[in-house]
Amino acid sequence: MMWIDKGGPIVWILVAYSVIGFSILAGRYLQLLFTRRVKLEQPISQWKESAEKRVVVKLQQKQKRHAHGPELRAAATHLIYNEIKVFETGLKTVSILANTAPLLGLLGTIAGMIKAFQVIENAGGKVDATALAGGIWEAMLTTGVGLAVAIPLLIFLHFLESALARYHWRLQKAAALVLDHHDLESSSVPEVATDEGAVSAI
């Protein structure tokens, strides 16, 4: 606690950055970790309740209402986004905290250095080197804390975003089971010429 007190209010702000950032990341990671997965190789009828099944069932319902290919793909994109956005809540906040932490630490260092040089000026240049070194050490502390907060936040944010990308790919693969089947059915419909010379599907 001594080094936190010596760092001043900026170090306390950085500690709050760390608590908020890691709380968000831990919550989203555990939420994603305990999200049920299904084996996409199994028949859809055997899937348990999951995000993949919700996407597929809603797409199948739209398909039964004779939704066209572009409309069906747009619906798939929207459904996948709705499933993913729950896990993305707060990640922008973490990104802001991680990117501003070093800058905030640097601000604390500059403020501390200004105070140290003010002491030198007020003392007329006759300042104990030990006291000056202690003041500079306290000023540099905020930069160190800022980096110590930012680096782990960025690393864990990267891992969580990678896990979300894999989860997004699973949902796309599940949706493709309906979309590919729809495209296959559409391409297999025979076409015949009418008396007027136009082309119509049987």
Coordinates of all heavy atoms in Angstrom, one line a residue, residues 51-124:
A51 N -27.2 -21.6 -28.4 CA -27.2 -20.5 -29.4 C -27.2 -21.0 -30.8 O -28.0 -20.5 -31.6 CB -25.9 -19.6 -29.2
E52 N -26.5 -22.1 -31.1 CA -26.5 -22.6 -32.4 C -27.9 -23.1 -32.8 O -28.4 -22.9 -33.9 CB -25.5 -23.8 -32.5 CG -24.1 -23.5 -32.3 CD -23.6 -23.6 -30.9 OE1 -24.4 -23.5 -30.0 OE2 -22.4 -23.8 -30.7
K53 N -28.6 -23.7 -31.8 CA -29.9 -24.2 -32.1 C -30.9 -23.1 -32.3 O -31.8 -23.2 -33.2 CB -30.4 -25.2 -31.0 CG -31.8 -25.8 -31.3 CD -32.1 -26.9 -30.3 CE -33.4 -27.6 -30.7 NZ -33.8 -28.7 -29.8
R54 N -30.8 -22.0 -31.5 CA -31.7 -20.9 -31.7 C -31.6 -20.3 -33.1 O -32.5 -19.9 -33.7 CB -31.4 -19.9 -30.6 CG -31.9 -20.3 -29.2 CD -31.9 -19.1 -28.3 NE -30.5 -18.6 -28.0 CZ -29.8 -19.1 -27.0 NH1 -30.2 -20.0 -26.2 NH2 -28.5 -18.5 -26.8
V55 N -30.3 -20.1 -33.5 CA -30.1 -19.5 -34.8 C -30.7 -20.4 -35.9 O -31.4 -19.9 -36.8 CB -28.5 -19.4 -35.1 CG1 -28.3 -19.0 -36.5 CG2 -28.0 -18.3 -34.1
V56 N -30.4 -21.7 -35.8 CA -30.9 -22.6 -36.9 C -32.4 -22.7 -36.9 O -33.0 -22.7 -38.0 CB -30.3 -24.0 -36.7 CG1 -31.0 -25.1 -37.5 CG2 -28.8 -24.0 -37.0
V57 N -33.0 -22.8 -35.7 CA -34.5 -23.0 -35.7 C -35.2 -21.7 -36.3 O -36.1 -21.8 -37.0 CB -35.0 -23.2 -34.2 CG1 -36.5 -23.0 -34.1 CG2 -34.5 -24.6 -33.8
K58 N -34.7 -20.5 -35.9 CA -35.3 -19.3 -36.4 C -35.1 -19.1 -38.0 O -35.9 -18.6 -38.7 CB -34.7 -18.1 -35.7 CG -35.2 -18.0 -34.3 CD -34.5 -16.8 -33.5 CE -35.0 -16.8 -32.1 NZ -34.4 -15.6 -31.3
L59 N -33.9 -19.6 -38.4 CA -33.7 -19.6 -39.9 C -34.6 -20.6 -40.6 O -35.1 -20.3 -41.7 CB -32.2 -19.9 -40.2 CG -31.2 -18.8 -39.9 CD1 -29.8 -19.3 -40.2 CD2 -31.5 -17.6 -40.8
Q60 N -34.8 -21.7 -40.0 CA -35.7 -22.7 -40.6 C -37.2 -22.2 -40.6 O -37.9 -22.4 -41.6 CB -35.7 -24.0 -39.8 CG -34.4 -24.8 -40.0 CD -34.4 -26.1 -39.2 OE1 -34.9 -26.1 -38.1 NE2 -33.6 -27.1 -39.6
Q61 N -37.5 -21.4 -39.6 CA -38.9 -20.8 -39.6 C -39.0 -19.8 -40.7 O -40.1 -19.7 -41.4 CB -39.1 -20.2 -38.2 CG -39.3 -21.2 -37.1 CD -39.4 -20.5 -35.7 OE1 -39.1 -19.3 -35.6 NE2 -39.7 -21.3 -34.7
K62 N -38.0 -19.0 -40.9 CA -38.0 -18.0 -42.0 C -38.0 -18.7 -43.4 O -38.7 -18.3 -44.3 CB -36.8 -17.1 -41.9 CG -37.0 -16.0 -40.9 CD -35.9 -15.0 -41.0 CE -36.1 -13.8 -40.1 NZ -37.3 -13.0 -40.5
Q63 N -37.3 -19.8 -43.5 CA -37.3 -20.6 -44.7 C -38.6 -21.1 -45.1 O -39.0 -21.1 -46.2 CB -36.2 -21.7 -44.6 CG -36.0 -22.5 -45.9 CD -35.0 -23.6 -45.7 OE1 -34.9 -24.2 -44.7 NE2 -34.2 -23.9 -46.8
K64 N -39.4 -21.6 -44.0 CA -40.7 -22.1 -44.3 C -41.7 -21.0 -44.7 O -42.7 -21.3 -45.4 CB -41.2 -22.7 -43.0 CG -40.6 -24.1 -42.6 CD -41.1 -24.6 -41.3 CE -40.4 -25.9 -41.0 NZ -40.8 -26.5 -39.7
R65 N -41.3 -19.7 -44.4 CA -42.2 -18.6 -44.8 C -41.7 -18.1 -46.2 O -42.0 -17.0 -46.6 CB -42.1 -17.5 -43.8 CG -42.8 -17.8 -42.5 CD -43.1 -16.6 -41.7 NE -41.9 -15.9 -41.2 CZ -41.3 -16.2 -40.0 NH1 -41.8 -17.1 -39.2 NH2 -40.2 -15.6 -39.7
H66 N -40.9 -19.0 -46.9 CA -40.5 -18.7 -48.3 C -39.6 -17.5 -48.4 O -39.7 -16.7 -49.3 CB -41.7 -18.6 -49.2 CG -42.6 -19.8 -49.2 ND1 -42.3 -21.0 -49.7 CD2 -43.9 -19.9 -48.7 CE1 -43.3 -21.8 -49.5 NE2 -44.3 -21.2 -48.9
A67 N -38.7 -17.4 -47.4 CA -37.7 -16.3 -47.4 C -36.7 -16.6 -48.5 O -36.3 -17.7 -48.7 CB -37.0 -16.1 -46.1
H68 N -36.3 -15.6 -49.3 CA -35.4 -15.7 -50.4 C -33.9 -15.8 -49.8 O -33.7 -15.5 -48.7 CB -35.5 -14.6 -51.4 CG -36.8 -14.5 -52.0 ND1 -37.3 -15.5 -52.9 CD2 -37.8 -13.6 -51.9 CE1 -38.5 -15.2 -53.3 NE2 -38.9 -14.0 -52.7
G69 N -33.0 -16.2 -50.7 CA -31.6 -16.3 -50.3 C -31.0 -15.1 -49.6 O -30.5 -15.2 -48.5
P70 N -31.0 -13.9 -50.2 CA -30.5 -12.7 -49.6 C -31.2 -12.4 -48.3 O -30.5 -12.0 -47.3 CB -30.7 -11.6 -50.6 CG -30.8 -12.3 -51.9 CD -31.4 -13.7 -51.6
E71 N -32.5 -12.6 -48.3 CA -33.2 -12.3 -47.0 C -32.8 -13.3 -45.9 O -32.7 -12.9 -44.7 CB -34.7 -12.4 -47.3 CG -35.6 -12.1 -46.1 CD -37.1 -12.3 -46.4 OE1 -37.4 -12.5 -47.6 OE2 -37.9 -12.2 -45.5
L72 N -32.6 -14.5 -46.3 CA -32.2 -15.5 -45.3 C -30.8 -15.3 -44.8 O -30.6 -15.4 -43.6 CB -32.3 -16.9 -46.0 CG -32.6 -18.1 -45.1 CD1 -33.9 -17.9 -44.3 CD2 -32.6 -19.4 -45.9
R73 N -29.9 -14.8 -45.6 CA -28.6 -14.5 -45.2 C -28.5 -13.3 -44.3 O -27.8 -13.3 -43.3 CB -27.6 -14.4 -46.4 CG -27.4 -15.6 -47.2 CD -26.4 -15.5 -48.3 NE -26.3 -16.7 -49.1 CZ -25.6 -17.7 -48.7 NH1 -24.9 -17.6 -47.6 NH2 -25.5 -18.8 -49.4
A74 N -29.3 -12.3 -44.6 CA -29.4 -11.1 -43.8 C -30.0 -11.5 -42.4 O -29.5 -11.0 -41.4 CB -30.3 -10.1 -44.4
A75 N -30.9 -12.4 -42.4 CA -31.5 -12.8 -41.1 C -30.5 -13.6 -40.3 O -30.4 -13.4 -39.1 CB -32.7 -13.7 -41.4
A76 N -29.6 -14.4 -41.0 CA -28.6 -15.2 -40.3 C -27.6 -14.2 -39.6 O -27.2 -14.4 -38.5 CB -27.9 -16.1 -41.2
T77 N -27.2 -13.2 -40.4 CA -26.3 -12.2 -39.8 C -26.8 -11.5 -38.6 O -26.1 -11.3 -37.6 CB -25.9 -11.1 -40.9 OG1 -25.4 -11.8 -42.0 CG2 -24.9 -10.1 -40.4
H78 N -28.1 -11.2 -38.7 CA -28.8 -10.5 -37.5 C -28.9 -11.4 -36.3 O -28.6 -11.0 -35.2 CB -30.1 -10.0 -38.0 CG -30.9 -9.3 -36.9 ND1 -30.6 -8.1 -36.5 CD2 -32.0 -9.7 -36.2 CE1 -31.4 -7.7 -35.5 NE2 -32.3 -8.7 -35.3
L79 N -29.2 -12.6 -36.5 CA -29.4 -13.6 -35.4 C -28.0 -13.9 -34.8 O -28.0 -13.9 -33.5 CB -30.0 -14.9 -36.0 CG -31.4 -14.8 -36.4 CD1 -31.8 -16.1 -37.1 CD2 -32.4 -14.6 -35.2
I80 N -27.0 -14.0 -35.6 CA -25.7 -14.3 -35.0 C -25.2 -13.1 -34.2 O -24.6 -13.2 -33.1 CB -24.7 -14.6 -36.1 CG1 -25.0 -16.0 -36.7 CG2 -23.2 -14.6 -35.6 CD1 -24.2 -16.3 -38.0
Y81 N -25.4 -11.9 -34.7 CA -25.1 -10.6 -34.0 C -25.7 -10.6 -32.7 O -25.1 -10.2 -31.6 CB -25.4 -9.4 -34.9 CG -25.3 -8.1 -34.1 CD1 -24.0 -7.6 -33.8 CD2 -26.4 -7.4 -33.6 CE1 -23.9 -6.4 -33.1 CE2 -26.3 -6.3 -32.9 CZ -25.0 -5.7 -32.7 OH -24.9 -4.6 -32.0
N82 N -27.0 -10.9 -32.6 CA -27.8 -10.9 -31.3 C -27.2 -11.8 -30.3 O -27.2 -11.6 -29.1 CB -29.2 -11.2 -31.6 CG -30.0 -10.0 -32.2 OD1 -29.5 -8.9 -32.2 ND2 -31.1 -10.3 -32.9
E83 N -26.7 -13.0 -30.8 CA -26.1 -13.9 -29.9 C -24.7 -13.5 -29.4 O -24.3 -13.7 -28.2 CB -26.0 -15.3 -30.5 CG -27.3 -16.0 -30.9 CD -28.1 -16.4 -29.7 OE1 -27.5 -16.5 -28.6 OE2 -29.3 -16.6 -29.8
I84 N -24.0 -12.8 -30.2 CA -22.6 -12.4 -29.9 C -22.5 -11.1 -29.1 O -21.7 -11.0 -28.2 CB -21.8 -12.2 -31.2 CG1 -21.5 -13.5 -31.9 CG2 -20.5 -11.5 -30.9 CD1 -20.5 -14.4 -31.2
K85 N -23.5 -10.2 -29.3 CA -23.4 -8.9 -28.6 C -23.4 -9.0 -27.1 O -22.9 -8.1 -26.4 CB -24.5 -8.0 -29.2 CG -25.9 -8.3 -28.7 CD -26.9 -7.3 -29.2 CE -28.3 -7.6 -28.8 NZ -29.2 -6.6 -29.3
V86 N -24.0 -10.1 -26.6 CA -24.1 -10.2 -25.1 C -22.7 -10.3 -24.6 O -22.4 -9.8 -23.5 CB -24.9 -11.5 -24.8 CG1 -24.9 -11.7 -23.3 CG2 -26.3 -11.4 -25.3
F87 N -21.8 -11.0 -25.3 CA -20.4 -11.2 -24.8 C -19.5 -10.0 -25.1 O -18.5 -9.9 -24.5 CB -19.8 -12.5 -25.5 CG -20.6 -13.7 -25.2 CD1 -21.5 -14.2 -26.2 CD2 -20.5 -14.4 -24.0 CE1 -22.2 -15.4 -26.0 CE2 -21.2 -15.6 -23.8 CZ -22.1 -16.0 -24.7
E88 N -19.9 -9.2 -26.0 CA -19.1 -8.0 -26.3 C -19.4 -6.8 -25.5 O -18.6 -5.8 -25.5 CB -19.3 -7.6 -27.8 CG -18.8 -8.7 -28.8 CD -19.1 -8.3 -30.2 OE1 -20.0 -7.5 -30.5 OE2 -18.4 -8.8 -31.1
T89 N -20.4 -6.9 -24.6 CA -20.7 -5.8 -23.7 C -19.6 -5.5 -22.8 O -19.1 -6.4 -22.1 CB -22.0 -6.1 -22.9 OG1 -23.1 -6.4 -23.8 CG2 -22.4 -4.9 -22.0
G90 N -19.1 -4.3 -22.8 CA -18.0 -3.9 -21.9 C -16.6 -4.0 -22.4 O -15.7 -3.4 -21.9
L91 N -16.5 -4.7 -23.6 CA -15.1 -4.9 -24.1 C -14.5 -3.6 -24.7 O -13.3 -3.3 -24.6 CB -15.2 -5.9 -25.3 CG -15.5 -7.3 -24.8 CD1 -15.3 -8.3 -26.0 CD2 -14.8 -7.8 -23.6
K92 N -15.4 -2.7 -25.2 CA -14.9 -1.4 -25.6 C -14.4 -0.6 -24.4 O -13.4 0.2 -24.5 CB -16.0 -0.6 -26.3 CG -16.3 -1.1 -27.7 CD -17.3 -0.2 -28.5 CE -17.5 -0.7 -29.9 NZ -18.5 0.1 -30.6
T93 N -15.1 -0.7 -23.3 CA -14.6 0.0 -22.1 C -13.2 -0.5 -21.6 O -12.4 0.3 -21.3 CB -15.6 -0.3 -20.9 OG1 -16.9 0.2 -21.3 CG2 -15.2 0.4 -19.6
V94 N -13.1 -1.9 -21.7 CA -11.7 -2.4 -21.4 C -10.7 -1.9 -22.3 O -9.6 -1.6 -21.9 CB -11.8 -4.0 -21.4 CG1 -10.4 -4.6 -21.2 CG2 -12.8 -4.5 -20.4
S95 N -11.0 -1.8 -23.6 CA -10.0 -1.3 -24.6 C -9.6 0.1 -24.3 O -8.5 0.5 -24.3 CB -10.6 -1.4 -26.0 OG -9.7 -0.9 -26.9
I96 N -10.6 0.9 -23.9 CA -10.3 2.3 -23.5 C -9.5 2.4 -22.3 O -8.5 3.2 -22.2 CB -11.7 3.1 -23.3 CG1 -12.4 3.3 -24.6 CG2 -11.4 4.5 -22.7 CD1 -13.8 3.9 -24.5
L97 N -9.8 1.6 -21.3 CA -9.0 1.6 -20.1 C -7.5 1.2 -20.3 O -6.6 1.8 -19.8 CB -9.6 0.7 -19.0 CG -11.0 1.0 -18.5 CD1 -11.5 0.0 -17.5 CD2 -11.0 2.4 -17.8
A98 N -7.4 0.1 -21.1 CA -6.0 -0.4 -21.4 C -5.2 0.6 -22.2 O -4.0 0.7 -22.0 CB -6.1 -1.7 -22.2
N99 N -5.8 1.3 -23.1 CA -5.1 2.2 -24.0 C -4.8 3.6 -23.3 O -3.9 4.3 -23.7 CB -5.9 2.5 -25.3 CG -5.8 1.3 -26.3 OD1 -4.7 1.0 -26.8 ND2 -6.9 0.6 -26.4
T100 N -5.6 3.9 -22.3 CA -5.4 5.2 -21.7 C -4.6 5.1 -20.4 O -4.1 6.1 -19.9 CB -6.7 5.9 -21.3 OG1 -7.5 5.0 -20.5 CG2 -7.5 6.3 -22.6
A101 N -4.4 3.9 -19.9 CA -3.7 3.7 -18.6 C -2.2 4.1 -18.7 O -1.7 4.9 -17.9 CB -3.7 2.2 -18.2
P102 N -1.5 3.8 -19.8 CA -0.1 4.3 -19.9 C 0.0 5.8 -20.0 O 0.9 6.5 -19.5 CB 0.4 3.6 -21.2 CG -0.4 2.5 -21.4 CD -1.8 2.9 -20.9
L103 N -1.0 6.4 -20.7 CA -1.0 7.9 -20.9 C -1.3 8.5 -19.5 O -0.7 9.6 -19.2 CB -2.1 8.3 -21.9 CG -1.9 7.8 -23.3 CD1 -3.1 8.2 -24.2 CD2 -0.6 8.3 -23.9
L104 N -2.2 7.9 -18.8 CA -2.5 8.5 -17.4 C -1.3 8.4 -16.5 O -1.0 9.3 -15.7 CB -3.7 7.7 -16.8 CG -4.3 8.3 -15.5 CD1 -4.8 9.7 -15.8 CD2 -5.4 7.4 -15.0
G105 N -0.6 7.2 -16.6 CA 0.7 7.1 -15.9 C 1.7 8.1 -16.3 O 2.4 8.6 -15.4
L106 N 1.8 8.3 -17.6 CA 2.8 9.3 -18.0 C 2.4 10.7 -17.5 O 3.3 11.5 -17.2 CB 2.8 9.3 -19.6 CG 3.8 10.3 -20.2 CD1 5.2 10.0 -19.8 CD2 3.7 10.2 -21.8
L107 N 1.1 11.0 -17.5 CA 0.7 12.3 -17.0 C 1.1 12.5 -15.5 O 1.5 13.5 -15.1 CB -0.9 12.4 -17.1 CG -1.5 13.6 -16.5 CD1 -1.0 14.9 -17.2 CD2 -3.0 13.6 -16.6
G108 N 1.0 11.4 -14.7 CA 1.4 11.4 -13.3 C 2.9 11.7 -13.2 O 3.3 12.4 -12.3
T109 N 3.7 11.0 -14.1 CA 5.1 11.2 -14.1 C 5.5 12.7 -14.4 O 6.3 13.3 -13.7 CB 5.8 10.3 -15.1 OG1 5.6 8.9 -14.7 CG2 7.3 10.5 -15.2
I110 N 4.9 13.2 -15.4 CA 5.2 14.6 -15.8 C 4.8 15.6 -14.7 O 5.5 16.5 -14.3 CB 4.4 15.0 -17.1 CG1 5.0 14.2 -18.3 CG2 4.5 16.5 -17.4 CD1 4.2 14.3 -19.6
A111 N 3.6 15.3 -14.1 CA 3.2 16.2 -12.9 C 4.2 16.1 -11.8 O 4.5 17.1 -11.1 CB 1.8 15.8 -12.5
G112 N 4.7 14.9 -11.5 CA 5.6 14.7 -10.4 C 7.0 15.3 -10.7 O 7.6 15.9 -9.8
M113 N 7.4 15.2 -12.0 CA 8.7 15.9 -12.4 C 8.6 17.4 -12.3 O 9.5 18.1 -11.9 CB 9.0 15.5 -13.8 CG 9.4 14.0 -14.0 SD 10.8 13.5 -13.1 CE 12.1 14.3 -14.0
I114 N 7.4 17.9 -12.6 CA 7.2 19.4 -12.5 C 7.4 19.8 -11.0 O 8.0 20.8 -10.7 CB 5.8 19.8 -13.0 CG1 5.8 19.6 -14.6 CG2 5.5 21.2 -12.7 CD1 4.4 19.8 -15.2
K115 N 6.7 19.0 -10.1 CA 6.9 19.3 -8.7 C 8.3 19.2 -8.2 O 8.8 20.1 -7.4 CB 6.0 18.4 -7.9 CG 4.5 18.6 -8.1 CD 3.7 17.6 -7.2 CE 2.2 17.8 -7.4 NZ 1.4 16.8 -6.7
A116 N 9.0 18.2 -8.7 CA 10.4 18.1 -8.3 C 11.3 19.2 -8.8 O 12.1 19.7 -8.0 CB 11.0 16.8 -8.9
F117 N 11.1 19.7 -10.0 CA 11.9 20.9 -10.5 C 11.4 22.2 -9.8 O 12.2 23.1 -9.6 CB 11.7 21.0 -12.0 CG 12.6 20.0 -12.7 CD1 12.0 18.9 -13.4 CD2 14.0 20.1 -12.7 CE1 12.8 18.0 -14.0 CE2 14.8 19.2 -13.3 CZ 14.2 18.1 -14.0
Q118 N 10.2 22.2 -9.3 CA 9.7 23.4 -8.6 C 10.5 23.5 -7.2 O 10.8 24.5 -6.7 CB 8.2 23.3 -8.3 CG 7.4 23.8 -9.6 CD 5.9 23.7 -9.3 OE1 5.5 22.9 -8.4 NE2 5.1 24.4 -10.1
V119 N 10.7 22.3 -6.6 CA 11.4 22.2 -5.4 C 12.9 22.7 -5.6 O 13.4 23.4 -4.8 CB 11.4 20.8 -4.8 CG1 12.4 20.6 -3.6 CG2 10.0 20.4 -4.4
I120 N 13.5 22.3 -6.7 CA 14.8 22.7 -7.0 C 14.9 24.2 -7.2 O 15.8 24.9 -6.7 CB 15.3 22.0 -8.3 CG1 15.4 20.5 -8.1 CG2 16.7 22.6 -8.7 CD1 15.8 19.7 -9.3
E121 N 13.9 24.8 -7.9 CA 13.8 26.2 -8.1 C 13.7 27.0 -6.8 O 14.4 28.0 -6.5 CB 12.7 26.5 -9.1 CG 12.6 28.0 -9.4 CD 11.4 28.4 -10.3 OE1 10.6 27.5 -10.4 OE2 11.4 29.5 -10.8
N122 N 12.8 26.5 -5.9 CA 12.5 27.2 -4.7 C 13.7 27.1 -3.7 O 13.9 28.0 -2.9 CB 11.3 26.6 -4.0 CG 10.0 26.8 -4.8 OD1 9.9 27.8 -5.5 ND2 9.0 25.9 -4.6
A123 N 14.5 26.0 -3.9 CA 15.7 25.9 -3.0 C 16.9 26.6 -3.6 O 18.0 26.5 -3.0 CB 16.0 24.4 -2.8
G124 N 16.8 27.2 -4.7 CA 17.9 27.9 -5.3 C 19.0 27.0 -5.9 O 20.1 27.4 -5.9

